[in-house]
């Protein structure tokens, strides 16, 4: 398996950081925009799309600020890839941004970025900030 490349994206979101955090950190919030359904048992989150299911381990969270996951499949393969959703507030303008850190195969980065674009577009609609 080839090495994955880390990339970061920034999306400006018209929302309060507190509300946005609920949508990126809770199973009910994530199932509104990230996956069809999300369940969690402790540190383990199960993401369900149509007929596929992926499990991710919660690596860390800082209330109101960020949440970080690692796909169980990556962990089993000994990889330390992760994806992180981080809320950033501009101190001057008070603009709220959602920063995404993720990893992808080099030849799939543009596809992965488009997927995030679509998912964040769904999130913005749910938040009423589209």
């Amino acid at each position: 398996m080839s090495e994955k490349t880390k990339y970061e994206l920034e999306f400006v979101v018209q929302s309060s950081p507190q509300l946005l955090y609920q949508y990126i950190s809770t199973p009910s919030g994530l199932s509104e925009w990230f996956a069809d359904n999300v369940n969690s048992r402790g540190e383990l989150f199960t993401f369900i799309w149509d007929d596929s299911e992926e499990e991710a381990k919660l690596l860390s969270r800082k209330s109101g600020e960020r949440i970080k996951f690692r796909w169980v499949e990556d962990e089993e393969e000994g990889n330390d890839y992760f994806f992180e959703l981080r809320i950033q507030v501009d101190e001057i303008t008070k603009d709220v941004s959602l920063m995404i850190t993720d990893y992808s195969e080099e030849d799939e980065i543009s596809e992965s970025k488009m997927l995030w674009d679509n998912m964040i577009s769904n999130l913005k609609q749910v938040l009423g900030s589209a």
Side-chain angles (χ1 to χ4, degrees), residues 51-102:
D51 52 1
S52 75
E53 203 172 281
E54 293 284 333
E55 288 191 325
K57 194 173 177 183
L58 175 65
L59 296 179
S60 65
R61 73 166 70 197
K62 185 168 181 189
S63 187
E65 208 171 288
R66 63 182 166 78
I67 188 156
K68 188 179 198 177
F69 294 101
R70 173 171 298 134
W71 295 113
V72 169
E73 186 180 318
D74 280 334
E75 189 163 277
E76 288 169 351
E77 292 172 1
N79 296 318
D80 56 1
Y81 305 125
F82 62 87
F83 68 100
E84 182 180 57
L85 308 169
R86 192 173 81 250
I87 299 168
Q88 190 170 293
V89 180
D90 185 291
E91 288 184 22
I92 298 166
T93 64
K94 300 295 180 210
D95 284 346
V96 176
S97 293
L98 184 59
M99 311 297 288
I100 310 285
T101 303
D102 200 359

Side-chain angles (χ1 to χ4, degrees), residues 14-76:
Q14 308 294 321
S15 168
S16 72
Q18 297 79 8
L19 180 62
L20 182 55
Y21 185 73
Q22 293 304 310
Y23 279 96
I24 68 170
S25 65
T26 63
S28 61
L30 286 162
S31 58
E32 294 264 346
W33 66 277
F34 188 82
D36 296 334
N37 197 5
V38 180
N39 300 313
S40 71
R41 275 193 328 279
E43 306 286 286
L44 203 60
F45 280 64
T46 305
F47 296 90
I48 302 160
W49 295 272
D50 292 330
D51 52 1
S52 75
E53 203 172 281
E54 293 284 333
E55 288 191 325
K57 194 173 177 183
L58 175 65
L59 296 179
S60 65
R61 73 166 70 197
K62 185 168 181 189
S63 187
E65 208 171 288
R66 63 182 166 78
I67 188 156
K68 188 179 198 177
F69 294 101
R70 173 171 298 134
W71 295 113
V72 169
E73 186 180 318
D74 280 334
E75 189 163 277
E76 288 169 351

